[in-house]
């Protein structure tokens, strides 16, 4: 059964890294669809073009573009034979031309529209080189423009996918190639409106692209190849002695993501869960390591404590000025205010006439939020807090994690505890 592999920017950050993927692809036992991100820091460099173009700094934008073009030419020359490079050159030139068109076409355009037209070029460049490399290595590869498959609305930078049309196009354009024995290489992160404007799919967009392809083909599994050996029970940059999680359910991963863990985004999980397709997190540096299997397990899985620590949190105590109860109507209005200021509530606890919320400390959003709230409420603010969340907690671990910390607020259920620490 078809497998979908997703390779992120780190996996192709250099020609050496790209070459190291060849044994992984050769060893696949089933037909492959490969989803690839922009390599290295290309997306960051393309973002710099967007900011300078919007500021009408044409000279700086051109300088960034020239660096990006030269980097891709150098990469292609190093990884490809002269014959393969000659075949690849027209396609790369075409995308460089598309980049310059996007830089020129800003009159009357929104920032988000310009962003998607420029930044989406990164995936097109990287996959063109990758497909040429695999063909050069003797593999039967077909390059596929994801913009001809992933149909979206025009909500630029966070486009919503039209799953009906996308599913039809996957079956019409990808499935026949697989049946013919081809390896399909396509882009993550990007799609297209029905009038052919490039869109991007937002946070973790490449993983989401892979999930859509896997669910709609359907595939046997989706494998996301990272530079880590699998999912960990805590962020190793924050905690010592973390443990790898060999197996975890879709539900548990979504819970971890909701509380702020940098794991798999819920929008990636949803199509896989609905189609019953497992997700594997594998290490491209150590492909022999089993990694982590994410699926809907029938039996209960024993987990170590799953720990999420969010730094730089702001605690707001919001009290009604006229002593109105914080009831359903009041809470509904408050949620609308937070949503309008693009602030996600990470924790909430309410009393009779007050409510306490914890949000990420984003100064340019919190100050206008408080200004809005203070029309009807008294607002007290505590910055520089930590929000600790532990699923499958135990008292010994909690004592260890909160040692020398002042606990400001606690919220506990059977499986999850959240604490605001100072």
């Amino acid at each position: 059964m078809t497998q979908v592999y997703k390779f992120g920017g780190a996996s192709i950050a250099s020609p050496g890294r790209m070459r190291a993927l060849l044994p992984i692809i050769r060893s696949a036992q089933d037909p492959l669809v490969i989803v690839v991100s922009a390599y290295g820091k290309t997306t960051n460099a393309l973002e710099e073009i967007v900011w300078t173009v919007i500021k009408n700094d044409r000279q700086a934008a051109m300088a960034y573009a020239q660096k990006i073009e030269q980097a891709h030419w150098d990469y292609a020359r190093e990884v490809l034979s002269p014959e393969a490079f000659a075949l690849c050159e027209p396609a790369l030139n075409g995308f460089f031309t598309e980049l310059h068109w996007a830089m020129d076409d800003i009159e009357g355009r929104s920032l988000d529209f310009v962003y998607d037209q420029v930044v989406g070029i990164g995936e097109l460049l990287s996959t063109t080189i990758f497909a040429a490399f695999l063909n050069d290595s003797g593999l039967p590869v077909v390059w596929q423009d994801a913009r001809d498959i992933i149909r979206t609305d025009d909500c630029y930078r966070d486009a919503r996918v039209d799953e009906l049309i996308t599913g039809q196009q996957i079956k019409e354009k990808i499935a026949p190639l697989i049946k013919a024995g081809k390896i399909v290489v396509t882009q993550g992160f990007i799609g297209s409106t029905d009038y052919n404007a490039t869109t991007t799919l937002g946070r973790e967009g490449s993983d989401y692209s892979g999930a859509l392809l896997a669910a709609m083909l359907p595939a046997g599994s989706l494998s996301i190849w990272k530079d880590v050996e699998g999912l960990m029970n805590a962020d190793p940059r924050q905690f010592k002695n973390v443990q790898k999680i060999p197996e975890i359910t879709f539900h548990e991963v979504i819970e971890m993501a909701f509380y702020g863990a940098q794991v798999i985004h819920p929008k990636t999980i949803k199509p896989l869960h609905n189609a019953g397709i497992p997700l594997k997190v594998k290490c491209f540096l150590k492909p022999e390591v089993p990694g982590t299997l994410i699926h809907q397990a029938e039996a209960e899985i024993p987990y170590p404590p799953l720990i999420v620590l969010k730094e730089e949190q702001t605690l707001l105590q919001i009290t009604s000025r006229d002593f109105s109860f914080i009831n359903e109507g009041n809470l509904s209005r408050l949620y609308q205010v937070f949503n309008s200021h693009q602030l996600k509530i990470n924790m909430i606890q309410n009393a009779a006439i007050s409510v306490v919320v914890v949000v990420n400390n984003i100064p340019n959003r919190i100050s206008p939020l408080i200004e809005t709230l203070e029309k009807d409420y008294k607002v007290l603010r505590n910055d520089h807090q930590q929000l600790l969340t532990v699923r499958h907690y135990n008292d010994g671990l909690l004592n260890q994690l909160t040692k020398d910390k002042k606990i400001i607020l606690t919220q506990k259920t059977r499986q999850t505890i959240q604490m605001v620490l100072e």
Side-chain angles (χ1 to χ4, degrees):
M1 196 171 188
T2 304
Q3 306 297 308
V4 178
Y5 283 3
K6 182 263 174 174
F7 293 107
S11 66
I12 56 168
S14 67
R17 283 270 177 94
M18 184 176 284
R19 293 189 189 99
L21 300 182
L22 190 57
I24 295 174
I25 295 166
R26 286 192 187 280
S27 65
Q29 300 298 310
D30 299 297
L32 279 183
V33 175
I34 303 175
V35 177
V36 186
S37 301
Y39 88 79
K41 301 296 183 182
T42 301
T43 299
N44 293 342
L46 288 164
E47 287 178 338
E48 291 298 331
I49 290 178
V50 175
W51 314 142
T52 52
V53 163
I54 292 296
K55 294 175 184 176
N56 292 316
D57 189 347
R58 178 73 182 176
Q59 185 175 355
M62 286 298 296
Y64 282 122
Q66 288 169 2
K67 287 182 181 179
I68 291 170
E69 291 173 22
Q70 190 59 54
H72 283 83
W73 286 129
D74 292 344
Y75 193 121
R77 285 190 179 93
E78 184 170 344
V79 80
L80 299 176
S81 67
E83 295 78 13
F85 179 85
L87 292 172
C88 181
E89 187 174 9
L92 292 177
N93 271 323
F95 292 127
F96 294 140
T97 299
E98 188 174 335
L99 172 60
H100 286 275
W101 285 345
M103 291 164 59
D104 292 336
D105 185 26
I106 66 168
E107 189 70 31
R109 302 291 195 178
S110 69
L111 167 61
D112 291 345
F113 175 87
V114 175
Y115 182 96
D116 281 6
Q117 309 320 300
V118 170
V119 172
I121 298 294
E123 276 69 18
L124 295 163
L125 293 170
S126 66
T127 52
T128 297
I129 296 172
F130 194 34
F133 165 71
L134 295 179
N135 269 315
D136 201 20
S137 303
L139 294 172
V141 171
V142 174
W143 180 91
Q144 174 66 57
D145 193 329
R147 297 174 298 181
D148 293 334
I149 300 169
I150 309 295
R151 177 65 58 80
T152 75
D153 65 8
D154 59 359
C155 183
Y156 298 102
R157 296 184 71 177
D158 194 16
R160 290 179 286 272
V161 174
D162 184 323
E163 295 189 6
L164 179 61
I165 295 176
T166 298
Q168 290 172 347
Q169 294 183 152
I170 286 172
K171 286 178 170 57
E172 290 172 4
K173 297 177 181 179
I174 301 293
L177 294 172
I178 294 168
K179 190 174 181 180
K182 303 295 184 181
I183 296 173
V184 179
V185 172
T186 190
Q187 306 79 43
F189 185 53
I190 64 172
S192 175
T193 66
D194 56 6
Y195 49 91
N196 295 324
T198 302
T199 55
T200 62
L201 305 182
R203 182 185 164 198
E204 305 298 337
S206 289
D207 290 354
Y208 183 37
S209 300
L212 288 170
L213 282 159
M216 293 176 178
L217 278 168
S221 67
L222 167 64
S223 297
I224 296 178
W225 294 84
K226 294 176 171 283
D227 56 1
V228 295
E229 294 182 14
L231 299 186
M232 302 294 171
N233 73 315
D235 188 335
R237 296 168 296 184
Q238 295 176 313
F239 299 96
K240 297 179 181 178
N241 303 318
V242 299
Q243 302 175 51
K244 192 178 91 172
I245 305 169
E247 183 182 11
I248 190 169
T249 64
F250 289 127
H251 176 265
E252 201 68 42
V253 167
I254 286 180
E255 290 286 342
M256 291 178 68
F258 175 79
Y259 291 118
Q262 300 299 307
V263 284
I264 307 297
H265 197 279
K267 71 180 181 182
T268 298
I269 294 297
K270 182 176 179 289
L272 297 174
H273 172 269
N274 292 351
I277 294 171
L279 169 61
K280 302 173 185 177
V281 179
K282 298 273 289 178
C283 180
F284 61 81
L285 299 172
K286 299 179 180 179
E288 71 281 0
V289 173
T292 297
L293 175 65
I294 306 171
H295 63 139
Q296 195 54 54
E298 294 181 5
E300 187 173 336
I301 299 172
Y303 297 112
L306 306 177
I307 307 166
V308 181
L309 181 65
K310 292 178 72 70
E311 303 278 3
E312 285 303 313
Q313 300 292 289
T314 292
L315 182 148
L316 301 174
Q317 181 175 331
I318 305 163
T319 305
S320 60
R321 292 188 183 276
D322 62 357
F323 271 41
S324 297
F325 280 128
I326 302 295
N327 56 18
E328 291 82 358
N330 241 327
L331 284 172
S332 176
R333 287 191 292 273
L334 286 170
Y335 269 105
Q336 288 174 5
V337 171
F338 277 85
N339 183 60
S340 68
H341 288 273
Q342 296 180 294
L343 279 166
K344 175 183 176 291
I345 296 175
N346 297 324
M347 182 178 177
I348 183 168
Q349 192 170 98
N350 70 286
I353 62 169
S354 67
V355 61
V356 174
V357 300
V358 179
V359 296
N360 295 336
N361 188 353
I362 307 174
N364 66 336
R365 296 182 186 175
I366 288 179
S367 296
L369 168 78
I370 292 175
E371 185 178 340
T372 301
L373 290 172
E374 284 184 332
K375 296 173 183 176
D376 300 302
Y377 303 92
K378 178 183 176 182
V379 181
L380 299 178
R381 171 179 181 173
N382 292 79
D383 288 326
H384 311 302
Q385 309 293 297
Q386 294 178 321
L387 178 58
L388 174 69
T389 304
V390 185
R391 283 183 61 78
H392 314 291
Y393 58 88
N394 60 69
D395 291 339
L397 175 66
L398 294 178
N399 291 335
Q400 178 185 338
L401 293 174
T402 59
K403 184 180 180 182
D404 302 324
K405 298 281 188 179
K406 183 179 179 181
I407 302 174
I408 306 298
L409 189 67
T410 299
Q411 199 168 85
K412 183 191 294 187
T413 65
R414 293 177 184 175
Q415 289 190 319
T416 305
I417 188 167
Q418 287 191 286
M419 295 180 173
V420 180
L421 307 177
E422 189 172 66

